[in-house]
Amino acid sequence: MNEHAPQRRAHRIRLVRHATTAAATAGLALTAFLPSPPPASAAPRPDAVQQRLDALVEEDRMPAALATVKGRDGRSRTYTAGVGDLATGARVPVDGQIRAGSNTKAFVAVVVLQLVAEGRIGLDTAVDTYLPGLLRGDGFDGRHITVRQLLQHTSGLPDYMDAPALADFTTIQYRYFEPRELLDGALAQKARFPAGTGWEYSNTNYLVAGLLIQKVTGRPFGEEVTKRVIDRIGLRHTYVPATGDTAVHEPHPHGYLRTAPDAPLVDYTAMDASMAWAAGAVVSTNTDLNTFYGALLAGRLLPAAQLAQMRTTVPAELLGPGVRYGLGIQSRPLTCGGLVWGHGGTSPGYRTRGGVTEDGRAVNITVTTIPDAPTGKRLTDAVDTALCR
């Protein structure tokens, strides 16, 4: 489960013809000191990122698209396209807040790995050590699932998002779910594979990681994420929604749910984020996400040993060609060489893709409805364009 690039206006110099020869001569003398117009080939090229965002709106029917890009020069540029509110026609707010979806998993993984560094959690210790008896089901057992396997999606746990209670988002937009209720929806299903023998993305892993944080610290997972990550690196526009908080707090584009290809869009901006909880509840901005992933890779959130563990990856081709998954973070190859490290997220109404490179380039792009597969690929391609231009 993101602003307008500045456009330069050409300044035209208008020469006034004078009636007298002397005035005309003076006018010609003046033009000798004026710059010649640039040749047509030197005209500014349309910005490649803006073109990508415009195409997502105009060709792929996304209500809006917004992005923040940090280039090789260290400067950040913001972009928008489309309409921020379909009901009023309002513009997309510059760097507006969005529901960041599964980018939340990277925040949660950082907290767990900080607790590992503090000696309070063992990365290769069974989940049952901390949450005894919690994970028992058809083909899975918490005594044989490690913390590492949760964070890396190699546990085999089924996804609670596949439970019948979550089949129709239109009926649960404002419904509150206890984490245990979500977990029960997963435990009623069969394991995907024996722990440690495969890879499959499952939101249940991070539901359990949130419960683990709470058990070890004695505090709500959202408080720990706020203290240990958000406040630590000064993410001023990022928060974990409190219980019962259904609003997006700052200027934001509205998010829309498409229930069928030709069905009217449902405004899903306000929602009870408890159904996402530790797997996807965070609200942020594209710029804050760039800051977060940049700080993470720069070693500002984790000791070197834990950051190295986080970046130890396994193949995750289900997410795309060449994608590998670490502990709450994934790598994706770029067409210009190297990797982009991040996560991405989907929430009803929003999808975000992006990350950072080893040399500090960064991008996050958000669209305001969940795209179909071809459009989703074009969103990912837009990330590559932003980092490789």
Side-chain angles (χ1 to χ4, degrees):
M1 309 171 218
N2 314 313
E3 340 204 344
H4 282 303
Q7 296 180 345
R8 296 184 178 178
R9 294 183 178 179
H11 295 284
R12 294 179 297 173
I13 300 173
R14 302 176 61 190
L15 295 180
V16 181
R17 293 176 180 254
H18 297 279
T20 67
T21 303
T25 303
L28 290 173
L30 176 61
T31 61
F33 295 96
L34 297 177
S36 300
S41 60
R45 292 187 304 169
D47 187 285
V49 177
Q50 188 66 57
Q51 287 182 318
R52 289 283 191 170
L53 266 58
D54 290 343
L56 286 166
V57 170
E58 295 165 8
E59 299 173 20
D60 293 312
R61 301 172 59 203
M62 298 293 99
L66 55 166
T68 300
V69 180
K70 182 181 178 183
R72 300 176 191 272
D73 59 3
R75 294 177 54 198
S76 288
R77 297 165 176 83
T78 53
Y79 301 81
T80 63
V83 177
D85 183 342
L86 294 178
T88 66
R91 293 184 176 183
V92 182
V94 170
D95 200 29
Q97 281 188 325
I98 47 88
R99 295 192 183 275
S102 287
N103 286 290
T104 304
K105 293 179 173 68
F107 287 74
V108 169
V110 167
V111 174
V112 172
L113 287 167
Q114 288 176 349
L115 293 169
V116 170
E118 295 165 13
R120 302 169 71 180
I121 291 176
L123 198 51
D124 293 307
T125 301
V127 174
D128 214 64
T129 303
Y130 311 101
L131 299 166
L134 181 70
L135 300 179
R136 298 287 190 277
D138 190 350
F140 54 87
D141 187 324
R143 292 169 292 188
H144 307 297
I145 296 173
T146 67
V147 174
R148 183 191 302 274
Q149 289 166 348
L150 291 178
L151 299 183
Q152 199 159 50
H153 294 298
T154 54
S155 70
L157 288 173
D159 196 335
Y160 76 83
M161 292 298 296
D162 293 334
L166 297 175
D168 184 356
F169 282 158
T170 62
T171 66
I172 59 171
Q173 186 169 359
Y174 298 103
R175 178 179 168 184
Y176 174 73
F177 288 90
E178 286 283 353
R180 179 70 215 204
E181 184 180 1
L182 298 173
L183 182 61
D184 286 345
L187 300 183
Q189 305 173 50
K190 293 183 179 181
R192 298 294 191 258
F193 48 81
T197 66
W199 186 92
E200 185 174 317
Y201 193 91
S202 173
N203 289 285
T204 306
N205 289 309
Y206 280 80
L207 186 71
V208 178
L211 294 171
L212 175 63
I213 289 169
Q214 295 192 160
K215 182 63 178 291
V216 171
T217 65
R219 304 299 305 170
F221 101 91
E223 285 188 16
E224 291 297 312
V225 167
T226 301
K227 176 181 69 175
R228 291 170 171 270
V229 182
I230 294 172
D231 289 348
R232 182 169 172 177
I233 57 174
L235 302 180
R236 296 187 298 113
H237 307 289
T238 300
Y239 65 94
V240 180
T243 300
D245 182 2
T246 62
V248 178
H249 296 172
E250 297 178 13
H252 57 274
H254 284 231
Y256 299 91
L257 180 67
R258 193 183 300 278
T259 58
D262 296 317
L265 291 168
V266 176
D267 192 322
Y268 219 94
T269 313
M271 62 171 283
D272 192 314
S274 62
M275 71 169 170
W277 203 58
V282 162
V283 173
S284 190
T285 65
N286 286 318
T287 297
D288 268 9
L289 289 173
N290 283 352
T291 300
F292 166 64
Y293 287 114
L296 177 57
L297 256 67
R300 292 173 53 198
L301 287 168
L302 291 173
Q306 281 67 48
L307 182 57
Q309 294 281 4
M310 189 179 217
R311 294 178 54 169
T312 301
T313 59
V314 296
E317 295 280 337
L318 291 174
L319 299 178
V323 176
R324 298 180 65 88
Y325 203 95
L327 306 182
I329 195 170
Q330 61 183 260
S331 66
R332 184 182 297 270
L334 294 168
T335 57
C336 53
L339 301 171
V340 54
W341 289 90
H343 196 287
T346 301
S347 178
Y350 302 91
R351 175 167 290 177
T352 301
R353 291 290 183 264
V356 300
T357 62
E358 300 285 355
D359 63 0
R361 287 169 287 152
V363 59
N364 265 276
I365 303 175
T366 299
V367 292
T368 57
T369 191
I370 301 174
D372 60 17
T375 304
K377 183 181 184 305
R378 285 188 280 277
L379 174 58
T380 302
D381 289 345
V383 170
D384 187 90
T385 295
L387 293 172
C388 290
R389 60 183 178 152

